[in-house]
Short mmCIF file of all heavy atoms in Angstrom, two decimals:
data_model
loop_
_atom_site.label_atom_id
_atom_site.label_comp_id
_atom_site.label_asym_id
_atom_site.label_seq_id
_atom_site.Cartn_x
_atom_site.Cartn_y
_atom_site.Cartn_z
N ASP A 1 1.56 7.43 3.34
CA ASP A 1 3.03 7.34 3.34
C ASP A 1 3.59 6.36 2.31
O ASP A 1 4.80 6.15 2.26
CB ASP A 1 3.60 7.02 4.72
CG ASP A 1 3.60 8.23 5.64
OD1 ASP A 1 3.34 9.35 5.18
OD2 ASP A 1 3.87 8.04 6.85
N LEU A 2 2.73 5.75 1.48
CA LEU A 2 3.25 4.96 0.36
C LEU A 2 3.94 5.96 -0.57
O LEU A 2 3.32 6.94 -1.00
CB LEU A 2 2.11 4.24 -0.36
CG LEU A 2 2.51 3.35 -1.53
CD1 LEU A 2 3.18 2.08 -1.01
CD2 LEU A 2 1.30 3.00 -2.38
N PRO A 3 5.23 5.77 -0.87
CA PRO A 3 5.95 6.81 -1.60
C PRO A 3 5.54 6.96 -3.07
O PRO A 3 5.53 8.07 -3.59
CB PRO A 3 7.42 6.41 -1.46
CG PRO A 3 7.39 4.96 -1.18
CD PRO A 3 6.10 4.68 -0.45
N THR A 4 5.22 5.85 -3.73
CA THR A 4 4.84 5.90 -5.14
C THR A 4 3.86 4.77 -5.45
O THR A 4 3.83 3.75 -4.76
CB THR A 4 6.07 5.71 -6.06
OG1 THR A 4 6.67 4.45 -5.77
CG2 THR A 4 7.09 6.83 -5.90
N THR A 5 3.10 4.95 -6.51
CA THR A 5 2.20 3.88 -6.97
C THR A 5 3.03 2.65 -7.27
O THR A 5 4.07 2.73 -7.93
CB THR A 5 1.43 4.34 -8.22
OG1 THR A 5 0.60 5.44 -7.86
CG2 THR A 5 0.58 3.22 -8.78
N GLY A 6 2.57 1.51 -6.78
CA GLY A 6 3.23 0.24 -7.05
C GLY A 6 4.46 -0.04 -6.20
O GLY A 6 5.13 -1.06 -6.40
N PHE A 7 4.77 0.82 -5.26
CA PHE A 7 5.94 0.61 -4.39
C PHE A 7 5.87 -0.78 -3.76
O PHE A 7 4.86 -1.18 -3.21
CB PHE A 7 5.95 1.69 -3.30
CG PHE A 7 7.06 1.54 -2.28
CD1 PHE A 7 8.36 1.88 -2.60
CD2 PHE A 7 6.78 1.08 -1.01
CE1 PHE A 7 9.38 1.77 -1.66
CE2 PHE A 7 7.79 0.97 -0.06
CZ PHE A 7 9.09 1.30 -0.38
N ALA A 8 6.96 -1.54 -3.88
CA ALA A 8 6.98 -2.91 -3.37
C ALA A 8 7.91 -3.10 -2.18
O ALA A 8 8.12 -4.22 -1.74
CB ALA A 8 7.37 -3.87 -4.49
N GLY A 9 8.45 -2.02 -1.67
CA GLY A 9 9.32 -2.11 -0.50
C GLY A 9 8.53 -2.49 0.75
O GLY A 9 7.31 -2.43 0.78
N CYS A 10 9.24 -2.85 1.78
CA CYS A 10 8.60 -3.29 3.02
C CYS A 10 8.13 -2.12 3.88
O CYS A 10 7.19 -2.27 4.66
CB CYS A 10 9.53 -4.19 3.82
SG CYS A 10 9.84 -5.76 2.97
N SER A 11 8.78 -0.97 3.75
CA SER A 11 8.37 0.18 4.55
C SER A 11 8.90 1.46 3.92
O SER A 11 9.84 1.44 3.13
CB SER A 11 8.87 0.05 5.99
OG SER A 11 10.28 0.05 6.03
N SER A 12 8.26 2.55 4.32
CA SER A 12 8.70 3.88 3.92
C SER A 12 8.06 4.86 4.88
O SER A 12 6.82 4.89 4.99
CB SER A 12 8.28 4.19 2.49
OG SER A 12 8.68 5.50 2.13
N HIS A 13 8.87 5.60 5.59
CA HIS A 13 8.37 6.50 6.64
C HIS A 13 7.48 5.67 7.58
O HIS A 13 7.96 4.70 8.14
CB HIS A 13 7.66 7.70 6.03
CG HIS A 13 8.54 8.50 5.12
ND1 HIS A 13 9.52 9.34 5.58
CD2 HIS A 13 8.58 8.56 3.77
CE1 HIS A 13 10.15 9.88 4.56
NE2 HIS A 13 9.62 9.42 3.45
N GLN A 14 6.20 5.98 7.68
CA GLN A 14 5.30 5.22 8.56
C GLN A 14 4.39 4.27 7.78
O GLN A 14 3.42 3.74 8.31
CB GLN A 14 4.46 6.18 9.41
CG GLN A 14 5.27 6.93 10.45
CD GLN A 14 5.88 5.98 11.47
OE1 GLN A 14 5.23 5.07 11.96
NE2 GLN A 14 7.13 6.18 11.79
N TYR A 15 4.69 4.02 6.49
CA TYR A 15 3.98 3.02 5.70
C TYR A 15 4.58 1.65 6.00
O TYR A 15 5.80 1.51 6.09
CB TYR A 15 4.12 3.32 4.19
CG TYR A 15 3.75 2.14 3.31
CD1 TYR A 15 2.41 1.85 3.06
CD2 TYR A 15 4.72 1.31 2.77
CE1 TYR A 15 2.05 0.78 2.26
CE2 TYR A 15 4.37 0.23 1.97
CZ TYR A 15 3.04 -0.04 1.73
OH TYR A 15 2.68 -1.11 0.95
N ALA A 16 3.71 0.65 6.13
CA ALA A 16 4.17 -0.72 6.35
C ALA A 16 3.46 -1.65 5.37
O ALA A 16 2.23 -1.74 5.37
CB ALA A 16 3.90 -1.16 7.78
N ARG A 17 4.21 -2.32 4.52
CA ARG A 17 3.65 -3.22 3.51
C ARG A 17 2.78 -4.30 4.15
O ARG A 17 1.83 -4.76 3.54
CB ARG A 17 4.79 -3.86 2.71
CG ARG A 17 4.32 -4.86 1.68
CD ARG A 17 5.49 -5.34 0.85
NE ARG A 17 5.15 -6.52 0.08
CZ ARG A 17 5.84 -6.93 -0.96
NH1 ARG A 17 6.91 -6.26 -1.35
NH2 ARG A 17 5.48 -8.02 -1.60
N LYS A 18 3.07 -4.70 5.38
CA LYS A 18 2.29 -5.75 6.03
C LYS A 18 0.82 -5.37 6.16
O LYS A 18 -0.03 -6.23 6.35
CB LYS A 18 2.88 -6.08 7.41
CG LYS A 18 2.78 -4.94 8.41
CD LYS A 18 3.44 -5.32 9.72
CE LYS A 18 3.39 -4.18 10.72
NZ LYS A 18 4.03 -4.57 11.97
N HIS A 19 0.50 -4.09 6.05
CA HIS A 19 -0.89 -3.65 6.09
C HIS A 19 -1.48 -3.47 4.70
O HIS A 19 -2.61 -3.01 4.55
CB HIS A 19 -1.01 -2.35 6.89
CG HIS A 19 -0.67 -2.56 8.32
ND1 HIS A 19 0.02 -1.61 9.05
CD2 HIS A 19 -0.90 -3.60 9.16
CE1 HIS A 19 0.20 -2.08 10.28
NE2 HIS A 19 -0.34 -3.28 10.36
N SER A 20 -0.74 -3.86 3.69
CA SER A 20 -1.17 -3.76 2.29
C SER A 20 -0.98 -5.11 1.60
O SER A 20 -0.13 -5.25 0.72
CB SER A 20 -0.35 -2.67 1.58
OG SER A 20 -0.46 -1.45 2.25
N PRO A 21 -1.76 -6.11 1.97
CA PRO A 21 -1.51 -7.47 1.49
C PRO A 21 -1.60 -7.65 -0.01
O PRO A 21 -0.94 -8.54 -0.56
CB PRO A 21 -2.56 -8.31 2.21
CG PRO A 21 -3.62 -7.35 2.62
CD PRO A 21 -2.93 -6.04 2.85
N TRP A 22 -2.38 -6.84 -0.73
CA TRP A 22 -2.51 -6.97 -2.18
C TRP A 22 -1.17 -6.82 -2.87
O TRP A 22 -0.98 -7.32 -3.96
CB TRP A 22 -3.50 -5.94 -2.72
CG TRP A 22 -3.32 -4.62 -2.06
CD1 TRP A 22 -2.47 -3.63 -2.42
CD2 TRP A 22 -3.96 -4.20 -0.85
NE1 TRP A 22 -2.53 -2.59 -1.51
CE2 TRP A 22 -3.44 -2.91 -0.54
CE3 TRP A 22 -4.90 -4.75 -0.01
CZ2 TRP A 22 -3.85 -2.19 0.58
CZ3 TRP A 22 -5.30 -4.02 1.10
CH2 TRP A 22 -4.78 -2.77 1.38
N THR A 23 -0.22 -6.14 -2.21
CA THR A 23 1.12 -5.95 -2.76
C THR A 23 1.83 -7.29 -2.95
O THR A 23 2.70 -7.42 -3.81
CB THR A 23 1.95 -5.05 -1.82
OG1 THR A 23 1.22 -3.85 -1.59
CG2 THR A 23 3.29 -4.71 -2.39
N ASN A 24 1.44 -8.28 -2.16
CA ASN A 24 2.11 -9.58 -2.20
C ASN A 24 1.59 -10.52 -3.28
O ASN A 24 2.17 -11.58 -3.50
CB ASN A 24 1.95 -10.27 -0.84
CG ASN A 24 2.60 -9.49 0.28
OD1 ASN A 24 3.74 -9.05 0.15
ND2 ASN A 24 1.89 -9.30 1.36
N PHE A 25 0.49 -10.15 -3.96
CA PHE A 25 -0.12 -11.05 -4.93
C PHE A 25 0.31 -10.69 -6.35
O PHE A 25 0.13 -9.55 -6.79
CB PHE A 25 -1.65 -10.98 -4.82
CG PHE A 25 -2.17 -11.66 -3.59
CD1 PHE A 25 -2.30 -10.97 -2.39
CD2 PHE A 25 -2.52 -13.01 -3.62
CE1 PHE A 25 -2.78 -11.59 -1.25
CE2 PHE A 25 -2.99 -13.64 -2.48
CZ PHE A 25 -3.12 -12.94 -1.29
N THR A 26 0.83 -11.67 -7.06
CA THR A 26 1.29 -11.44 -8.43
C THR A 26 0.12 -11.25 -9.40
O THR A 26 0.32 -10.75 -10.50
CB THR A 26 2.17 -12.59 -8.92
OG1 THR A 26 1.42 -13.81 -8.86
CG2 THR A 26 3.43 -12.73 -8.07
N ASN A 27 -1.10 -11.65 -9.00
CA ASN A 27 -2.26 -11.51 -9.88
C ASN A 27 -3.08 -10.24 -9.62
O ASN A 27 -4.21 -10.12 -10.06
CB ASN A 27 -3.15 -12.76 -9.78
CG ASN A 27 -3.56 -13.07 -8.36
OD1 ASN A 27 -3.26 -12.35 -7.42
ND2 ASN A 27 -4.25 -14.20 -8.19
N VAL A 28 -2.50 -9.31 -8.89
CA VAL A 28 -3.08 -7.99 -8.69
C VAL A 28 -2.05 -6.97 -9.19
O VAL A 28 -0.92 -6.95 -8.70
CB VAL A 28 -3.42 -7.74 -7.19
CG1 VAL A 28 -3.94 -6.33 -6.99
CG2 VAL A 28 -4.41 -8.76 -6.68
N PRO A 29 -2.41 -6.16 -10.16
CA PRO A 29 -1.43 -5.22 -10.71
C PRO A 29 -0.85 -4.28 -9.65
O PRO A 29 -1.58 -3.80 -8.77
CB PRO A 29 -2.24 -4.42 -11.74
CG PRO A 29 -3.43 -5.26 -12.05
CD PRO A 29 -3.72 -6.05 -10.81
N ALA A 30 0.42 -4.02 -9.74
CA ALA A 30 1.07 -3.10 -8.80
C ALA A 30 0.41 -1.72 -8.84
O ALA A 30 0.41 -1.01 -7.83
CB ALA A 30 2.56 -2.99 -9.13
N SER A 31 -0.19 -1.37 -9.95
CA SER A 31 -0.82 -0.05 -10.10
C SER A 31 -2.03 0.13 -9.20
O SER A 31 -2.50 1.25 -9.01
CB SER A 31 -1.24 0.18 -11.56
OG SER A 31 -2.18 -0.82 -11.96
N THR A 32 -2.54 -0.95 -8.61
CA THR A 32 -3.67 -0.82 -7.68
C THR A 32 -3.21 -0.38 -6.30
O THR A 32 -4.03 0.00 -5.47
CB THR A 32 -4.46 -2.15 -7.54
OG1 THR A 32 -3.62 -3.15 -6.98
CG2 THR A 32 -5.01 -2.60 -8.88
N ASN A 33 -1.92 -0.42 -6.05
CA ASN A 33 -1.34 0.00 -4.76
C ASN A 33 -0.92 1.46 -4.90
O ASN A 33 0.12 1.76 -5.47
CB ASN A 33 -0.14 -0.90 -4.43
CG ASN A 33 0.35 -0.70 -3.03
OD1 ASN A 33 -0.39 -0.34 -2.14
ND2 ASN A 33 1.64 -0.94 -2.84
N ARG A 34 -1.77 2.36 -4.37
CA ARG A 34 -1.60 3.78 -4.64
C ARG A 34 -1.37 4.58 -3.36
O ARG A 34 -1.88 4.23 -2.31
CB ARG A 34 -2.83 4.29 -5.36
CG ARG A 34 -3.08 3.47 -6.65
CD ARG A 34 -4.34 3.85 -7.34
NE ARG A 34 -4.20 5.19 -7.88
CZ ARG A 34 -5.21 5.92 -8.30
NH1 ARG A 34 -6.44 5.46 -8.25
NH2 ARG A 34 -4.99 7.14 -8.77
N PRO A 35 -0.65 5.69 -3.47
CA PRO A 35 -0.47 6.56 -2.30
C PRO A 35 -1.79 7.22 -1.90
O PRO A 35 -2.68 7.41 -2.73
CB PRO A 35 0.52 7.62 -2.79
CG PRO A 35 1.06 7.14 -4.07
CD PRO A 35 0.09 6.16 -4.63
N TRP A 36 -1.88 7.59 -0.63
CA TRP A 36 -3.08 8.27 -0.13
C TRP A 36 -3.36 9.53 -0.94
O TRP A 36 -4.51 9.90 -1.17
CB TRP A 36 -2.94 8.58 1.36
CG TRP A 36 -4.07 9.39 1.87
CD1 TRP A 36 -4.00 10.66 2.36
CD2 TRP A 36 -5.45 9.01 1.94
NE1 TRP A 36 -5.26 11.09 2.73
CE2 TRP A 36 -6.16 10.09 2.46
CE3 TRP A 36 -6.15 7.86 1.58
CZ2 TRP A 36 -7.54 10.07 2.65
CZ3 TRP A 36 -7.52 7.83 1.77
CH2 TRP A 36 -8.20 8.93 2.30
N SER A 37 -2.33 10.19 -1.41
CA SER A 37 -2.50 11.43 -2.18
C SER A 37 -3.29 11.20 -3.47
O SER A 37 -3.83 12.14 -4.05
CB SER A 37 -1.15 12.06 -2.51
OG SER A 37 -0.37 11.14 -3.26
N ALA A 38 -3.41 9.95 -3.92
CA ALA A 38 -4.17 9.63 -5.13
C ALA A 38 -5.66 9.37 -4.84
O ALA A 38 -6.44 9.16 -5.77
CB ALA A 38 -3.57 8.39 -5.82
N PHE A 39 -6.06 9.40 -3.57
CA PHE A 39 -7.47 9.19 -3.24
C PHE A 39 -8.27 10.32 -3.88
O PHE A 39 -7.99 11.50 -3.65
CB PHE A 39 -7.66 9.19 -1.71
CG PHE A 39 -8.99 8.68 -1.26
CD1 PHE A 39 -9.24 7.32 -1.23
CD2 PHE A 39 -9.99 9.56 -0.86
CE1 PHE A 39 -10.47 6.83 -0.79
CE2 PHE A 39 -11.23 9.09 -0.43
CZ PHE A 39 -11.46 7.72 -0.40
N PRO A 40 -9.26 9.98 -4.70
CA PRO A 40 -9.94 11.03 -5.47
C PRO A 40 -10.80 11.97 -4.61
O PRO A 40 -11.47 11.53 -3.68
CB PRO A 40 -10.82 10.24 -6.44
CG PRO A 40 -11.01 8.92 -5.81
CD PRO A 40 -9.79 8.65 -4.97
N ALA A 41 -10.79 13.22 -4.95
CA ALA A 41 -11.66 14.20 -4.29
C ALA A 41 -13.10 14.01 -4.76
O ALA A 41 -14.04 14.28 -4.03
CB ALA A 41 -11.19 15.61 -4.59
N ASP A 42 -13.27 13.53 -6.00
CA ASP A 42 -14.59 13.19 -6.53
C ASP A 42 -14.81 11.71 -6.26
O ASP A 42 -14.27 10.85 -6.94
CB ASP A 42 -14.64 13.48 -8.03
CG ASP A 42 -15.95 13.06 -8.68
OD1 ASP A 42 -16.84 12.52 -7.98
OD2 ASP A 42 -16.08 13.28 -9.89
N TYR A 43 -15.60 11.41 -5.24
CA TYR A 43 -15.78 10.03 -4.80
C TYR A 43 -16.47 9.16 -5.85
O TYR A 43 -16.40 7.94 -5.78
CB TYR A 43 -16.54 9.98 -3.48
CG TYR A 43 -15.84 10.77 -2.38
CD1 TYR A 43 -16.55 11.67 -1.60
CD2 TYR A 43 -14.48 10.63 -2.16
CE1 TYR A 43 -15.91 12.39 -0.60
CE2 TYR A 43 -13.84 11.36 -1.16
CZ TYR A 43 -14.56 12.24 -0.39
OH TYR A 43 -13.93 12.96 0.59
N ASN A 44 -17.11 9.76 -6.85
CA ASN A 44 -17.66 8.98 -7.96
C ASN A 44 -16.55 8.29 -8.75
O ASN A 44 -16.83 7.36 -9.51
CB ASN A 44 -18.47 9.89 -8.89
CG ASN A 44 -19.76 10.34 -8.27
OD1 ASN A 44 -20.59 9.52 -7.87
ND2 ASN A 44 -19.94 11.65 -8.16
N GLN A 45 -15.32 8.74 -8.58
CA GLN A 45 -14.18 8.16 -9.30
C GLN A 45 -13.53 7.00 -8.55
O GLN A 45 -12.57 6.41 -9.05
CB GLN A 45 -13.13 9.25 -9.56
CG GLN A 45 -13.65 10.41 -10.38
CD GLN A 45 -14.20 9.98 -11.73
OE1 GLN A 45 -13.55 9.22 -12.46
NE2 GLN A 45 -15.39 10.43 -12.05
#
């Protein structure tokens, strides 16, 4: 339910930022916070 890569809002639908602590760190790129739909089908990736 994360709406977009790098989303920094507190919630969206049933997504809750409180369960995604990396979002709070300025030394972790926002691009590492990805929607479930981006989970690769090829697990080698």
Side-chain angles (χ1 to χ4, degrees):
D1 283 350
L2 182 73
T4 59
T5 296
F7 176 75
C10 294
S11 64
S12 178
H13 301 285
Q14 291 296 316
Y15 164 79
R17 177 175 166 162
K18 65 183 178 180
H19 294 142
S20 304
W22 41 86
T23 306
N24 298 313
F25 287 88
T26 59
N27 54 4
V28 177
S31 61
T32 64
N33 190 29
R34 304 175 69 195
W36 174 244
S37 60
F39 193 78
D42 176 359
Y43 302 132
N44 289 303
Q45 301 302 312

